[in-house]
Amino acid sequence: MIRLAALGRFWPLIPILLLAVWGWRVDQLRAVHLLDLTKERGDRRAEVAESKRDAASAEAANADRIATAAERYAAAMADRLPIILHSKDTVTRYAQTDAGRVVCRGPDRVRDIDTLDAALFTPSRSADSGLGAVRADATASPAGR
């Protein structure tokens, strides 16, 4: 009977103890969840930083590829474009270099080209041609030289 009397006297403590134990367990679960959440956030930050590094390295590699392609294109265009020399002194100095000896033509070859151009662009005597004759400009050298 004493036990029932003690139980009757302290029965409000039983739910309080149960609530305290339940609250302690909830705190433990929250702490574990908070640790997991903190770990996941750290992992995510590391993934974001790694992806930013990868994107930056990809952009740098792309910029290098574009620069290399532009240099190659410029070199190819420079190889295709003729060297235009405007001054007689420049032509003379260039013709004296090793590269100029290969590219520059001698005066006799230039005259041969002028003669060939004059022969090609002389007025045509063909009557069946529907086109008019090409007029020769007496003041200019053949082929505009």
Side-chain angles (χ1 to χ4, degrees):
M1 197 67 131
I2 297 179
R3 290 184 183 171
L4 286 177
L7 185 61
R9 192 177 213 196
F10 295 109
W11 75 266
L13 290 177
I14 293 172
I16 292 172
L17 286 175
L18 288 175
L19 287 173
V21 170
W22 183 69
W24 175 73
R25 180 67 182 144
V26 168
D27 286 342
Q28 281 185 335
L29 291 174
R30 282 185 183 158
V32 169
H33 180 69
L34 184 61
L35 289 175
D36 289 344
L37 183 61
T38 304
K39 183 181 177 295
E40 287 177 14
R41 284 181 181 165
D43 292 345
R44 180 65 183 143
R45 285 185 185 130
E47 289 174 5
V48 168
E50 184 180 347
S51 66
K52 285 182 180 179
R53 281 192 304 271
D54 291 345
S57 65
E59 286 179 17
N62 190 35
D64 289 342
R65 281 194 299 272
I66 289 173
T68 302
E71 288 173 5
R72 286 182 185 164
Y73 180 76
M77 288 297 107
D79 290 342
R80 291 180 187 164
L81 294 175
I83 299 173
I84 300 173
L85 302 172
H86 300 284
S87 167
K88 182 179 178 183
D89 293 334
T90 307
V91 172
T92 305
R93 280 181 290 177
Y94 182 69
Q96 292 171 353
T97 64
D98 292 335
R101 284 188 204 102
V102 174
V103 177
C104 292
R105 301 176 188 262
D108 55 335
R109 291 188 67 194
V110 173
R111 285 189 206 100
D112 290 341
I113 291 172
D114 288 342
T115 305
L116 178 63
D117 287 344
L120 289 173
F121 295 108
T122 56
S124 173
R125 302 287 182 209
S126 172
D128 57 348
S129 171
L131 301 174
V134 176
R135 288 184 235 142
D137 187 1
T139 60
S141 62
R145 288 192 182 90

